[in-house]
Structure formats: C-alpha cells, structure tokens
Amino acid sequence: SPLPPSLQAMESEISAAFESGEPEDILSSAFKLTVTREDICTLQPLRWLNDRIMNFYMSLLVERSKKEGYPAVYAFNTFFYPKLSSASHRAVRRWTKGVDIFEHDVILVPIHLRIHWTLLVIDVREKTIKYFDSLGQKGDHICKTVLKYLQEESKEKRKIELTVSEWTLHSMGTEEIPQQNNGSDCGVFVCKFADFISRDKPIIFTQEHMPYFRRKMVWEIIHQQLL
C-alpha cells in the first residue's frame, strides 16, 4: 500500500539528505554540535556511525529526558571513556563541572573500541553498572574502571564515600540483549539500547529493525526531535 503523505515526505527528505548537496553542508546544529551531510551519510546501510552522530543522538536522548514521565538521563560523550581509561579521574574531573551526575537516574557512556561501538549504562537508582555489546563481548574491566570513576567523583564532588559492595556490575549476555549479525550496525545498536533504556523500556528490537532505525535517525537528527 502507498505510504501516507506525511511518511512520503519524510522518506523523500531522508533520501535527499543522503543524495543531494555537498559533504560539508551542515544539516543539523544543536547542543554545541554540528552534523554535516558527510556525518549523516554514515547512517546509510552498512556504514559505521561516527562520533558526531553518536554524540548528537545521545544529546537528543538527554533532551527528551527533561520531559515529564522520563527518567533523568545524563550522557557522557564518546571521548570520555578513552580519556578516563588512558589517564584517570583527574583527566576528566572538569567534564562534570557544575553537574552532579548522581542526581540523575541513568548515565549513558557510549564507548568506542577502535572499530566497535558498545554502551555502558549506570543506573543510579538501582546501583548497577551494565555493559551492552551487540557482539556479545564482556566488558567487566570497563565496568570496574567506571565504578572507580564514580567512587572518585562522589568523593570529590559530594564528599560522600561510595559503598562499592552495594553496586552490581554486569556484562549483558547474548541471550539477554539483541545481537548484530553483520560488521557495521554496532553504532545503531548502541543508540537504540540507549533509547530504550532511557525510557525504562524492555529492549525488544532485533537486527531486522536496523535499516528502519537508520532512516528514522536521519530524520530525528535533522529535526532535532525523537519520534
């Protein structure tokens, strides 16, 4: 059946974002971030998402969380974890200037492992740190690194000692979360893990949804609005 007019308009807009104009054209600008056509084109099938797309999408999730009925979400950008893991808390202490991350319900940490995107999620309410990898790899050491960061952040910013024994660290198993069956969709998986988690929704999508999610994300980033 033919698409309704509104969907037809969205589809043609998404296609135009990919197909017309110059790579350096700015298609969206918000959250002190700009997204060019070249960035948007990483949302084409089988392309790897780049930092700009990841960070813009995380910012959209944070923005949505300010609405009534959503958990309060904080998201670190993609450059946070490499800096933390290669240096220490001191190297990133300024990143949370004027922010108490512990006042949030959910903290998202997108992680880039050379050629693979994963997601770490801190649930402050439940005192859990969970690692989401759509290729099923374990991230226990990453969870520990971030817990140590939380200890130091709490001590420095709130003068409160975190009770480590109260926290649960867990790498999600392949039977717990959907897995990718190609070498290119990890970034989209990370964005959608974050999307569902930041709404307190069960993660029910699969690899089959990826082409649809990619196109939807194009529209959402251009319009700076989550559907």
Side-chain angles (χ1 to χ4, degrees), residues 2-71:
L3 290 169
S6 58
L7 277 180
Q8 278 180 337
M10 286 166 83
E11 274 298 336
S12 53
E13 197 176 357
I14 293 161
S15 298
F18 288 149
E19 286 153 22
S20 57
E22 300 301 320
E24 63 277 7
D25 291 346
I26 292 170
L27 299 191
S28 198
S29 183
F31 321 115
K32 299 181 183 161
L33 298 167
T34 55
V35 174
T36 65
R37 190 178 311 281
E38 189 172 11
D39 300 323
I40 283 286
C41 282
T42 68
L43 284 162
Q44 288 178 313
L46 305 179
R47 296 274 308 271
W48 290 348
L49 271 53
N50 69 10
D51 288 286
R52 281 192 187 176
I53 294 293
M54 300 297 284
N55 289 326
F56 203 96
Y57 193 80
M58 294 294 152
S59 300
L60 286 174
L61 297 177
V62 169
E63 199 58 34
R64 179 179 67 189
S65 82
K66 295 171 186 172
K67 292 182 187 166
E68 195 67 43
Y70 287 97

Side-chain angles (χ1 to χ4, degrees), residues 2-223:
L3 290 169
S6 58
L7 277 180
Q8 278 180 337
M10 286 166 83
E11 274 298 336
S12 53
E13 197 176 357
I14 293 161
S15 298
F18 288 149
E19 286 153 22
S20 57
E22 300 301 320
E24 63 277 7
D25 291 346
I26 292 170
L27 299 191
S28 198
S29 183
F31 321 115
K32 299 181 183 161
L33 298 167
T34 55
V35 174
T36 65
R37 190 178 311 281
E38 189 172 11
D39 300 323
I40 283 286
C41 282
T42 68
L43 284 162
Q44 288 178 313
L46 305 179
R47 296 274 308 271
W48 290 348
L49 271 53
N50 69 10
D51 288 286
R52 281 192 187 176
I53 294 293
M54 300 297 284
N55 289 326
F56 203 96
Y57 193 80
M58 294 294 152
S59 300
L60 286 174
L61 297 177
V62 169
E63 199 58 34
R64 179 179 67 189
S65 82
K66 295 171 186 172
K67 292 182 187 166
E68 195 67 43
Y70 287 97
V73 175
Y74 184 83
F76 282 105
N77 77 26
T78 54
F79 306 108
F80 168 77
Y81 184 75
K83 189 84 174 160
L84 173 67
S85 60
S86 64
S88 66
H89 178 266
R90 192 177 295 128
V92 292
R93 57 195 285 261
R94 290 225 181 111
W95 291 46
T96 51
K97 196 169 182 276
V99 178
D100 181 356
I101 59 171
F102 297 97
E103 284 178 358
H104 297 79
D105 299 316
V106 174
I107 302 165
L108 304 170
V109 188
I111 294 173
H112 195 225
L113 304 170
R114 288 193 296 280
I115 55 164
H116 182 52
W117 288 108
T118 65
L119 179 70
L120 182 135
V121 178
I122 304 158
D123 192 319
V124 180
R125 304 163 295 186
E126 306 279 336
K127 295 188 176 165
T128 62
I129 299 176
K130 290 181 179 172
Y131 184 72
F132 293 75
D133 187 334
S134 53
L135 285 178
Q137 298 166 78
K138 297 283 176 227
D140 299 348
H141 64 293
I142 296 175
C143 293
K144 283 175 188 157
T145 301
V146 171
L147 179 60
K148 188 166 187 291
Y149 165 80
L150 290 178
Q151 279 178 275
E152 290 167 341
E153 182 75 0
S154 180
K155 200 153 124 188
E156 181 171 312
K157 298 278 170 73
R158 307 190 299 164
K159 308 289 181 274
I160 296 172
E161 291 279 354
L162 222 60
T163 311
V164 173
S165 59
E166 292 176 351
W167 284 76
T168 307
L169 280 52
H170 177 60
S171 290
M172 302 296 276
T174 53
E175 69 295 334
E176 292 177 278
I177 53 169
Q179 299 289 292
Q180 67 188 97
N181 60 16
N182 63 22
S184 53
D185 279 330
C186 54
V188 188
F189 271 84
V190 163
C191 288
K192 298 319 285 187
F193 287 149
D195 171 23
F196 280 64
I197 290 160
S198 63
R199 289 182 284 146
D200 279 337
K201 293 290 185 223
I203 295 168
I204 50 168
F205 60 83
T206 68
Q207 173 71 56
E208 284 158 22
H209 295 96
M210 292 300 128
Y212 164 70
F213 284 155
R214 281 177 177 269
R215 293 184 77 78
K216 183 168 170 248
M217 284 172 69
V218 172
W219 191 94
E220 290 172 329
I221 289 168
I222 290 172
H223 289 269

